[in-house]
Amino acid sequence: MPAPPALHERVAELHRLLHHHAHRYYVLDEPEIPDAEYDHLFQELQQIEAQHPELRTPDSPTLRVGGKPLEGFAKVRHRVPMLSIRTETDIEASGARNFDARVRRELGLGESDPPIEYVAELKFDGLAVNLRYEDGVLVQAATRGDGEVGEDVTQNIRTIGQVPLRLPEGAPPVLEVRGEVYMRRDDFERLNELQREKIARGLRNEKTFVNPRNAAAGAVRQLDPQIARQRPLSFFAYGWGEIAGGPAFTRHSDVLEAFKGWGLPVSDRIRRARGADELVAYHEAVGRERDQLPFDIDGVVYKVDSLALQRQLGFVTREPRWAVAHKFPAQEQVTTVESIDIFVGRTGKLTPVARLKPVFVGGVTVTNATLHNEDEARRKDVRVGDAVIVRRAGDVIPEVVSVLAHERRHEEPPFSMPHRCPVCGSAAVREEGEADWRCTGGLFCGAQRKQALLHFAQRRALDIEGLGERLVDQLVDANVIRVLPDLYRLGLANLVALDRMGGKSAANLLGALENSKQTTLPRFLFALGIRHVGEATARDLARHFGSLDAVMQASVDELLQVPDVGPVVAQSIHTFFQQPHNREVVEQLRALGVQWPEGEPAARVPQPLAGVTVVLTGTLPSLSRDEAKALLEAAGAKVAGSVSKKTAYVVAGAEAGSKLDKARELGVAILDEEGLRSLLAPPANG
């Protein structure tokens, strides 16, 4: 039996009352009625909806209690990408001044021009989400994801009391609100106390949470919204995505004020600021209050207030030029160094790592801290047994800031870097002018195995289609590949035994491996991953020496005869081929059938652009970026990634970005594709 009109009216009235009182309670912190009266209204609505399910609408307050568990999160493509904001690495006041100077420079403003007006706000330590309202009703909530595609977490977000399920009249027909889901510190402590009680009662699979951010992010990504509902989550709005209809805005701050009027929670610590001095004052004031705030922050955010200026400034590398995140100084704690180990990275870099007595810093338990390199470890004079100050900022790797030398009560010797790789035993070298020691056993060293395989297989090297990062991880982790030549010893049985590797995919990979055996000397030299040897240097080596044996046997002086090969590169090549491990790998690859045409050293070809630096930007009509680069390098030019006073030409195509602006600023010659071809054309006879 359909519900009578009077019941429709009562449901509408209950919606209005419950939304109103939820806003007073969760957002304004000014409740008008006792909790018991709110519960009575809520239960009345629940009973009506149970008897007449057709009366439950998408904005019903009862949806806050959560729905059925999900099997997985659906993907959501953001209509307007959720871009990341650049982080200002200077944590002092100059960070704000750097941003203001950068904005003024981009806008072409001089010292006599008035200050720029900004919005300054807190940088919350939570999880960014996008809330989509259509005709005032919350229809979807999604995580940031990769900025283009996030996950649908609508059921979980509906459990957050501060998030309105319906906006009042006057809100745009389509409104995407962006903000941060976070957990207050007092709520976090109560949650952990509850978890400790569960653990004490012997409940399995229960644990305490490391910090409020992890607890909040984990709650949002729970497949069971009932679990999300049990976590005390909060929300602040600070931005927007798509807006269709509604009032026209001219300032960022006006939109935030409108949010408040529509019942959305906006931080009361947002301020408008004129110029760099007021940004600095805001940063310092918030820094002083940081520990007293009811929630965690890791910095502040500055945004240009004028929306017209935001559009004028635009974006660079998917980051807005009109906004920046300004971090606070890292949090620090004192602990003890229990040992100093050497970590070998994927590129062979040797990093000293202090193993620490566990200490809680910046919301996590820290047991390791980087000492960066030999010079830094010696400068700080870190020794085993020392009491040290450890710093951790956000997700940055913890580091040892300093040693409390006055507390040293032992005779441990100063730290010294080993001259052998602790993983493979190959020689470790430190190039002149470099801070880092590196293992020279690149093709042999287990720590570098994955990186060596991926580099070897990439398109510009031996181009082994289908050999991606996930497959390399499986092959190495399962010890199927111990050294590079094992690639060519793979059989069908090895491959089909791997996860998600069917017979057809395995056969395709084996075919790609077989095809890759026929290559060129430049490609093979580049594929070896010799430090400092890129594609251009590999081509120069092949052209100069003609054969691999000649390159392997060349002395440093002979290598210096190759165009554009300096002392550092020559020494790196020579050291690489002096390692018996590396020579053995090369010989095994040859024996397994990897081959290329060889011959006498080629005659020197005139290079009209020798010593000329060129920068490519934008999309050319008929040449790809790689093709244009190859043509320029064949003519002797150096193709750089950024524009400087040393740049002779900038070749600009469609959608050229900031490099073109920089070229105009410096007065660098700008060419289109036709100009490039004219530059490369041989001079006419006569």
Side-chain angles (χ1 to χ4, degrees):
M1 180 181 297
L7 207 54
H8 282 268
E9 293 175 5
R10 181 54 181 165
V11 167
E13 178 64 3
L14 288 170
H15 279 205
R16 186 189 66 79
L17 289 170
L18 289 168
H19 285 314
H20 170 77
H21 290 303
H23 178 67
R24 301 286 304 182
Y25 183 91
Y26 290 109
V27 179
L28 301 181
D29 197 22
E30 297 175 353
E32 291 179 336
I33 60 175
D35 290 351
E37 187 171 342
Y38 180 91
D39 292 342
H40 176 75
L41 295 171
F42 191 93
Q43 290 162 7
E44 182 185 352
L45 179 60
Q46 280 184 314
Q47 290 172 0
I48 294 173
E49 290 180 346
Q51 294 170 0
H52 298 278
E54 73 275 11
L55 296 182
R56 178 178 291 148
T57 58
D59 62 326
S60 173
T62 62
L63 291 177
R64 291 201 189 277
V65 301
K68 295 180 180 179
L70 304 172
E71 293 183 0
F73 291 113
K75 299 299 182 184
V76 175
R77 180 166 293 279
H78 299 300
R79 291 165 174 82
V80 177
M82 292 185 71
L83 303 180
S84 58
I85 294 178
R86 173 178 176 172
T87 299
E88 176 57 60
T89 55
D90 189 336
I91 60 176
E92 303 302 331
S94 54
R97 300 191 188 282
N98 291 344
F99 173 62
D100 179 63
R102 193 160 57 242
V103 169
R104 295 182 68 84
R105 186 168 60 250
E106 294 281 357
L107 294 174
L109 300 179
E111 293 182 2
S112 60
D113 290 305
I116 296 172
E117 293 188 351
Y118 297 99
V119 172
E121 58 193 45
L122 305 181
K123 184 177 183 297
F124 304 106
D125 199 9
L127 183 73
V129 296
N130 183 78
L131 312 180
R132 184 175 177 85
Y133 291 87
E134 294 179 0
D135 297 323
V137 177
L138 177 66
V139 296
Q140 188 180 74
T143 61
R144 180 198 301 274
D146 64 3
E148 296 284 348
V149 177
E151 294 178 319
D152 189 331
V153 291
T154 309
Q155 285 202 69
N156 292 341
I157 295 302
R158 280 177 174 151
T159 69
I160 302 174
Q162 286 182 307
V163 175
L165 301 179
R166 172 178 282 279
L167 303 180
E169 291 184 10
V174 174
L175 174 65
E176 288 189 344
V177 178
R178 285 173 179 176
E180 201 89 356
V181 174
Y182 67 97
M183 190 176 289
R184 291 171 54 96
R185 289 171 179 162
D186 53 357
D187 287 333
F188 173 73
E189 291 302 327
R190 281 194 290 271
L191 175 63
N192 261 352
E193 184 61 32
L194 179 63
Q195 293 301 109
R196 283 189 283 269
E197 291 174 6
K198 291 179 179 179
I199 295 169
R201 295 201 306 269
L203 295 180
R204 289 183 149 191
N205 301 321
E206 295 292 345
K207 63 179 182 179
T208 56
F209 299 96
V210 174
N211 55 45
R213 184 196 183 282
N214 287 357
V220 171
R221 300 198 71 257
Q222 281 287 338
L223 292 173
D224 186 351
Q226 295 292 347
I227 296 177
R229 179 173 169 260
Q230 295 168 11
R231 307 267 179 96
L233 300 177
S234 299
F235 175 78
F236 272 133
Y238 53 67
W240 61 92
E242 182 182 10
I243 299 181
F249 298 104
T250 59
R251 291 182 176 276
H252 193 100
S253 54
D254 293 341
V255 183
L256 299 183
E257 283 300 317
F259 280 178
K260 293 180 184 178
W262 296 330
L264 291 156
V266 176
S267 171
D268 60 4
R269 287 175 170 80
I270 292 176
R271 299 288 184 271
R272 288 177 64 178
R274 283 174 55 84
D277 288 344
E278 292 189 18
L279 292 181
V280 170
Y282 180 82
H283 183 263
E284 292 175 347
V286 172
R288 289 191 296 269
E289 300 170 0
R290 181 185 182 188
D291 291 338
Q292 283 72 51
L293 292 173
F295 41 77
D296 285 350
I297 62 171
D298 55 5
V300 296
V301 177
Y302 311 133
K303 299 173 181 175
V304 173
D305 198 15
S306 165
L307 299 183
L309 291 183
Q310 286 188 11
R311 289 190 290 270
Q312 184 177 339
L313 288 162
F315 299 81
V316 57
T317 319
R318 297 179 53 77
E319 295 176 344
R321 287 192 176 98
W322 44 266
V324 74
H326 190 182
K327 290 293 192 75
F328 284 125
Q331 296 177 340
E332 300 176 346
Q333 292 289 349
V334 175
T335 188
T336 304
V337 178
E338 296 183 334
S339 66
I340 298 177
D341 298 340
I342 304 300
F343 173 77
V344 184
R346 290 173 58 141
T347 61
K349 175 184 172 182
L350 273 59
T351 302
V353 176
R355 306 299 183 191
L356 307 170
K357 182 179 179 181
V359 62
F360 200 69
V361 185
V364 301
T365 299
V366 172
T367 56
N368 305 317
T370 180
L371 299 175
H372 296 293
N373 53 54
E374 181 181 40
D375 290 346
E376 189 73 0
R378 287 186 172 180
R379 182 183 69 78
K380 294 175 180 175
D381 192 20
V382 181
R383 307 187 191 187
V384 175
D386 280 346
V388 295
I389 297 175
V390 179
R391 175 167 59 195
R392 179 184 179 272
D395 294 327
V396 177
I397 298 172
E399 66 172 342
V400 172
V401 179
S402 61
V403 174
L404 303 180
H406 63 279
E407 296 187 11
R408 184 176 287 158
R409 301 288 186 269
H410 55 82
E411 297 298 328
E412 285 289 329
F415 170 78
S416 61
M417 203 73 165
H419 290 193
R420 290 277 168 187
C421 172
V423 174
C424 71
S426 298
V429 298
R430 180 178 178 178
E431 296 170 355
E432 186 176 350
E434 290 278 330
D436 299 319
W437 286 78
R438 292 183 181 274
C439 167
T440 57
L443 300 181
F444 173 79
C445 181
Q448 302 174 66
R449 199 178 303 159
K450 292 180 181 179
Q451 180 68 24
L453 284 166
L454 289 168
H455 180 82
F456 188 83
Q458 69 168 280
R459 183 169 58 86
R460 295 187 180 103
L462 264 66
D463 193 16
I464 305 174
E465 188 174 350
L467 189 63
E469 188 167 353
R470 181 178 296 177
L471 180 55
V472 164
D473 285 344
Q474 287 193 73
L475 291 168
V476 172
D477 293 344
N479 272 328
V480 175
I481 292 182
R482 294 179 176 83
V483 291
L484 193 58
D486 287 344
L487 262 179
Y488 295 100
R489 300 186 181 106
L490 287 173
L492 197 62
N494 297 120
L495 292 173
V496 295
L498 300 173
D499 290 341
R500 299 181 183 179
M501 176 62 75
K504 184 176 180 181
S505 297
N508 289 341
L509 178 59
L510 292 175
L513 284 164
E514 191 62 32
N515 292 337
S516 72
K517 292 180 180 179
Q518 304 299 321
T519 186
T520 66
L521 181 54
R523 279 179 172 267
F524 185 77
L525 285 168
F526 174 61
L528 293 179
I530 306 168
R531 185 160 162 76
H532 302 304
V533 175
E535 295 170 82
T537 301
R539 282 194 297 270
D540 290 341
L541 289 167
R543 187 182 298 120
H544 184 87
F545 289 105
S547 71
L548 179 62
D549 287 337
V551 177
M552 293 173 67
Q553 295 163 10
S555 65
V556 171
D557 288 340
E558 289 169 334
L559 289 164
L560 286 170
Q561 303 305 309
V562 179
D564 293 329
V565 171
V568 172
V569 179
Q571 186 61 59
S572 178
I573 298 167
H574 181 71
T575 300
F576 180 90
F577 285 119
Q578 288 301 301
Q579 294 297 309
H581 301 315
N582 293 336
R583 297 175 74 94
E584 174 63 22
V585 167
V586 170
E587 293 310 316
Q588 286 188 38
L589 289 170
R590 280 172 145 175
L592 288 163
V594 180
Q595 55 186 302
W596 52 86
E598 288 190 340
E600 295 297 318
R604 295 293 293 156
V605 177
Q607 294 186 305
L609 298 182
V612 175
T613 299
V614 182
V615 172
L616 298 167
T617 182
T619 304
L620 299 177
S622 64
L623 287 174
S624 69
R625 181 74 62 93
D626 289 344
E627 289 169 341
K629 181 180 179 183
L631 289 171
L632 285 164
E633 289 178 340
K638 176 185 177 183
V639 180
S642 58
V643 181
S644 69
K645 293 179 180 179
K646 296 181 180 180
T647 306
Y649 302 99
V650 167
V651 180
E655 300 180 2
S658 59
K659 295 175 185 177
L660 180 58
D661 298 335
K662 185 71 171 180
R664 289 171 176 153
E665 179 185 328
L666 296 177
V668 175
I670 299 170
L671 305 175
D672 56 12
E673 184 177 321
E674 185 179 350
L676 169 63
R677 292 186 183 279
S678 298
L679 186 68
L680 295 168
N685 292 330

